[in-house]
Amino acid sequence: MDIIAAYREAGTYRGAAEIAGTTHKTVRRVIARHEAGGAAPERAPRGRNYDGVAALVAGRVEKTSGRISAKRLLPAARAAGYAGSPRNFRRLVAAAKQAWRREHHRGRRPAVWSPGEHLVIDWGAEGGLHVFCAVLAWCRVRFVRFARDERAETTLALLAECFEVLGGVPGTVLADRMGCLKGGVVANVVVPTAEYVRFAGHYGFRPDFCQAADPESKGIVENLVGYAKSDLIVPQAPFGDLAAANAAAVAWCAEVNGVIHSEICAVPAERLVIERELLGPLPSLRASIGRQVTRKVDRLSCVRFASARYSVPVRLIGETVKLRTDDGRLLVIMTSMGQVVAEHFLVPPGGASVRDEHYGGPRPASPRRAVRPRTAAEKEFCALGPTAEAFITGAAAAGHTRLGPELAELNTLRAAHGEQAFAAALDRAVAFSRWRAADVRSILGAGAGVPGPTAEPGDALVLDLPVVPVRPLADYAIGGLS
């Protein structure tokens, strides 16, 4: 039996309570609610001990965009008259923050990527290594490389390498607000550095930056950074050197790009084949990256950098060139054309890096000393040409100390026998290492009928000797002598 029926039967609160198995107070409340029309009587509102500071808390939460903590607000609330517990005050602040977030929700929507449009990049660090990560948004192809630093030239060089791996250039590169690429911020708009603008113009993409302190706007690459740390760096570290780390990164990228991606349910490497057709073409030349210095090519066809000497082609002697360092190498770039004309590995101060092709061939085994006549006799003799120079050089090497005084006699022989015969005699003297004037005179006296052997060293010498009358051996027998 319900309470109302029991009350009608008994007529008293206590009697109805005994029949219904409850208390008389409950019976009275139920009968009063029934007689009032069935609605519960309104309760008088109960005040809370933090009602006096609720407006203060709501104002501070609004002013700080819901970021202030209850710990920082409690002293102000105490000064305003709050005498309750910190725990109860934390409930007030939490409720105020929740109410503010309901009114100021960003209404974020999921990203919808188009083929060939976006490449997202970011830096990470783990175990002393800096890791550069990039994701081609539509096909989810991932690019990871390690570096020693996060400078602008390093970032741009890795971005250029990423374009070469992808086989094209996307329309937009979305980056975090990296200090190496950010020239400044005006009205929350990032101004890229001039070097980054030139790089973007060279490759033909639009540089873009995400919102400040907003990792959700580039969560696609933030997830890659965490994935690379947990799946690549932590299991395989420490790496022997930077080359070993990058070799492991290349193998890891090939592995993860060759399996099905959980978000797109497709293999990124296979989708890249489709997206590559919509990427922009790569430029014919790589962009000039990094700080450049200007040098003038000296008479040795070299330039100096960091107290070391580096060779360039001899055609550039006297020209002004630009030098740039890139991953342990020195690049020599022509100022007018922007073409790399020489490339060297960096050497320590005081060293030299000289390439034979810059000088037309290898260095000779012994240095060549030029013949420069000074006296009248020397000038007259050297006017004969290379043969006279070869004679002087050979005589000097043989230690012929009387060569100077004998030049006058040699000039007399030249005038007496003619220039052609004298030149031929000098050629024969050089061939047989005969360096005295008397030797040249005897060669001229022998005439042109003397044999001229032309065999190479080590070959059999064959000469056409003159025919002379001979006697038989029988004429030399002892018995025939009387």
Side-chain angles (χ1 to χ4, degrees):
M1 182 177 291
D2 61 2
I3 295 177
I4 298 175
Y7 178 75
R8 289 173 180 174
E9 183 72 22
T12 62
Y13 295 139
R14 292 186 183 274
E18 291 180 3
I19 295 174
T22 184
T23 65
H24 64 283
K25 294 181 180 180
T26 302
V27 175
R28 184 177 58 189
R29 286 195 302 269
V30 172
I31 295 304
R33 184 168 62 247
H34 178 70
E35 292 177 352
E42 294 184 2
R43 289 185 178 182
R46 295 177 57 187
R48 296 181 176 86
N49 60 355
Y50 53 69
D51 289 341
V53 295
L56 170 66
V57 170
R60 295 292 295 274
V61 169
E62 176 77 22
K63 184 178 180 180
T64 60
S65 301
R67 296 182 179 180
I68 193 168
S69 64
K71 178 182 177 182
R72 297 301 178 190
L73 266 175
L74 184 57
R78 295 286 191 197
Y82 176 71
S85 66
R87 182 178 182 181
N88 207 31
F89 184 74
R90 286 196 296 269
R91 292 193 182 99
L92 171 63
V93 176
K97 286 183 176 181
Q98 187 175 5
W100 184 89
R101 293 191 183 102
R102 280 197 301 266
E103 297 295 330
H104 299 83
H105 195 274
R106 292 179 59 182
R108 186 184 303 278
R109 65 176 63 187
V112 179
W113 306 108
S114 300
E117 286 297 325
H118 286 85
L119 178 75
V120 192
I121 64 174
D122 197 9
W123 278 101
E126 181 73 23
L129 285 175
H130 299 274
V131 56
F132 175 83
C133 300
V135 183
L136 194 56
W138 184 78
C139 68
R140 295 301 201 280
V141 166
R142 286 150 284 190
F143 176 86
V144 175
R145 291 295 185 274
F146 294 100
R148 294 186 178 89
D149 52 61
E150 299 181 9
R151 295 186 301 176
E153 52 266 28
T154 305
T155 304
L156 298 182
L158 292 176
L159 188 56
E161 183 181 351
C162 177
F163 292 154
E164 294 173 2
V165 172
L166 297 177
V169 182
T172 303
V173 175
L174 176 62
D176 195 1
R177 299 193 172 194
M178 305 176 183
C180 58
L181 303 180
K182 180 180 65 176
V185 179
V186 179
N188 199 36
V189 177
V190 178
V191 181
T193 62
E195 185 178 7
Y196 189 32
V197 172
R198 286 193 296 268
F199 180 85
H202 180 80
Y203 279 94
F205 68 87
R206 182 178 68 87
D208 193 12
F209 296 89
C210 67
Q211 292 292 333
D214 186 20
E216 291 87 352
S217 62
K218 57 182 181 62
I220 186 173
V221 73
E222 291 284 355
N223 291 334
L224 174 59
V225 173
Y227 186 29
K229 289 180 181 179
S230 61
D231 196 59
L232 171 61
I233 302 178
V234 174
Q236 301 189 37
F239 298 102
D241 53 11
L242 189 60
N246 280 323
V250 171
W252 184 81
C253 289
E255 176 187 350
V256 298
N257 291 330
V259 297
I260 296 178
H261 193 282
S262 60
E263 180 70 19
I264 61 176
C265 297
V267 179
E270 296 177 356
R271 295 190 73 173
L272 176 61
V273 178
I274 302 173
E275 188 169 5
R276 187 176 287 136
E277 299 179 358
L278 302 176
L279 296 176
L282 290 169
S284 58
L285 296 175
R286 253 200 183 193
S288 179
I289 302 171
R291 186 177 65 89
Q292 297 182 359
V293 295
T294 302
R295 293 289 188 273
K296 185 176 180 180
V297 182
D298 59 19
R299 294 184 178 181
L300 297 178
S301 188
C302 292
V303 292
R304 291 185 64 84
F305 179 78
S307 299
R309 196 181 295 274
Y310 300 89
S311 66
V312 298
V314 293
R315 58 185 173 85
L316 299 178
I317 293 177
E319 298 288 338
T320 300
V321 296
K322 292 183 178 180
L323 308 181
R324 179 170 59 86
T325 57
D326 181 15
D327 194 17
R329 299 174 301 166
L330 180 74
L331 304 181
V332 182
I333 306 170
M334 287 189 63
T335 305
S336 58
M337 302 175 58
Q339 179 184 3
V340 177
V341 294
E343 181 177 339
H344 298 269
F345 288 104
L346 292 176
V347 296
S353 177
V354 179
R355 294 185 176 275
D356 294 336
E357 58 267 22
H358 293 163
Y359 297 91
R363 183 190 296 274
S366 58
R368 181 178 179 272
R369 309 303 180 191
V371 176
R372 296 187 177 90
R374 298 181 181 277
T375 63
E378 294 172 353
K379 292 178 180 179
E380 182 181 355
F381 182 76
C382 290
L384 193 61
T387 302
E389 295 181 3
F391 183 85
I392 292 176
T393 303
H400 181 29
T401 58
R402 295 287 302 168
L403 177 62
E406 287 186 352
L407 285 181
E409 184 178 352
L410 291 172
N411 290 331
T412 302
L413 293 174
R414 174 185 177 184
H417 293 271
E419 186 171 329
Q420 184 175 0
F422 184 72
L426 280 185
D427 283 335
R428 189 172 181 85
V430 171
F432 288 93
S433 300
R434 306 295 295 273
W435 311 116
R436 299 181 182 276
D439 298 331
V440 177
R441 185 186 297 106
S442 64
I443 293 173
L444 290 170
V450 295
T454 58
E456 296 294 332
D459 294 342
L461 180 61
V462 178
L463 298 176
D464 295 330
L465 299 178
V467 179
V468 296
V470 296
R471 298 172 61 187
L473 295 177
D475 293 344
Y476 298 95
I478 297 178
L481 298 176
S482 60

